[in-house]
Amino acid sequence: MNKKRFLGAVIAVFAAIQITDPIIHGMILGKSYAALQHVWRPDMMSKMWIMLVNSFMFSILFVYIFHKGCEGKGLLEGVRFGLIVGFFVYIYSIINQYVVYPLPFSLICLWGLLGIIQFILYGVATAFILTPRSSS
């Protein structure tokens, strides 16, 4: 394992999370969330550091799993990996949240679509950094 590439991919995925989450959850879905303030924790902002740590741990695991199964097929492999992990993790969890919390189905659909796009981005970034370049 090339440790520099691995660390670079972890940082890239973590950065992608930190860039895309505010865009999605602040700019795109902000109005939807405002209508659901009764559902969120009143002290949520004081716990945001937990999400930061969680995002970093996710980044390490995402890159590690890709690395272990990497077939060296380039960016399309990253797209495929992002789709698979996105459906496996993200879609599973948001459907469960729809069942447990009084969330509008339209919000769940947007979460799903935007979440899958994020996961594809993470996969592409990981593949781009971890896939060795041919020296031809």
Side-chain angles (χ1 to χ4, degrees):
M1 172 187 338
N2 183 317
K3 292 179 183 177
K4 285 183 183 180
R5 283 183 188 247
F6 184 88
L7 182 59
V10 168
I11 291 169
V13 171
F14 181 74
I17 293 169
Q18 299 314 307
I19 292 166
T20 58
D21 270 359
I23 293 168
I24 291 170
H25 300 290
M27 295 168 65
I28 298 172
L29 298 175
K31 288 182 183 176
S32 297
Y33 291 164
L36 297 167
Q37 283 185 338
H38 64 281
V39 175
W40 314 131
R41 288 178 158 277
D43 62 342
M44 178 174 49
M45 296 313 287
S46 69
K47 298 184 183 325
M48 282 297 160
W49 67 270
I50 297 170
M51 289 181 76
L52 204 61
V53 171
N54 191 42
S55 295
F56 189 70
M57 295 303 298
F58 168 84
S59 300
I60 293 169
L61 291 171
F62 187 89
V63 172
Y64 179 78
I65 294 167
F66 180 89
H67 170 71
K68 286 300 185 182
C70 182
E71 299 171 350
K73 294 184 178 177
L75 297 182
L76 284 178
E77 184 175 16
V79 170
R80 182 185 70 198
F81 183 73
L83 273 170
I84 292 168
V85 174
F87 274 99
F88 181 71
V89 173
Y90 202 78
I91 300 300
Y92 170 80
S93 67
I94 64 170
I95 289 171
N96 284 347
Q97 289 181 18
Y98 176 70
V99 170
V100 173
Y101 303 107
L103 301 172
F105 187 70
S106 60
L107 177 60
I108 296 301
C109 290
L110 270 173
W111 270 351
L113 175 65
L114 297 171
I116 292 299
I117 292 169
Q118 279 185 292
F119 274 76
I120 291 170
L121 176 65
Y122 308 155
V124 168
T126 302
F128 180 77
I129 295 170
L130 288 187
T131 304
R133 314 290 185 276
S134 63
S135 57
S136 48

